[in-house]
Amino acid sequence: MVAIHGCDLTGLTTSALEPEELRGVVQKNHADTMASCAPSASIYGFQRHGGFDHHQNILRLPLSEDGKSVSHIVAIIDLTVEGRAFFYERQRVVSS
């Protein structure tokens, strides 16, 4: 995600997402998932940190500690072909 968003988002909230337009849409989708207590999916398009247009598919799975309200959301993200290629190339360089 560092290559996509330009910073390490580990342990941070959606308020750290850039660009601002993406942050607003993601926060609304998360709020909708919390309100409905049901899985949801989205496709986002934005310009990736570093330049190319990027698309990602996200599946959100709500989790509950009490069986009544959403306490966590697990987000599964599928990157575009370009995003995956950039990620795997970066991993290859780092592990070399």
Side-chain angles (χ1 to χ4, degrees):
M1 297 310 293
V2 172
I4 300 301
H5 295 290
C7 62
D8 184 359
L9 299 173
T10 304
L12 300 179
T13 67
T14 56
S15 63
L17 285 174
E18 294 290 340
E20 183 179 342
E21 295 81 15
L22 174 65
R23 178 174 56 242
V25 172
V26 170
Q27 288 174 330
K28 181 187 181 319
N29 290 149
H30 279 45
D32 292 348
T33 298
M34 289 180 68
S36 70
C37 297
S40 62
S42 301
I43 299 173
Y44 299 118
F46 56 95
Q47 189 170 69
R48 185 186 69 81
H49 174 78
F52 67 80
D53 288 335
H54 180 78
H55 293 84
Q56 60 188 31
N57 305 309
I58 299 180
L59 173 64
R60 282 176 296 284
L61 304 172
L63 303 177
S64 177
E65 292 178 356
D66 63 7
K68 298 175 185 174
S69 61
V70 176
S71 53
H72 295 83
I73 298 174
V74 174
I76 301 166
I77 302 169
D78 179 36
L79 304 174
T80 60
V81 172
E82 294 88 355
R84 280 192 297 271
F86 186 88
F87 173 78
Y88 289 123
E89 178 61 23
R90 184 177 179 93
Q91 292 301 313
R92 186 186 66 75
V93 169
V94 170
S95 64
S96 295

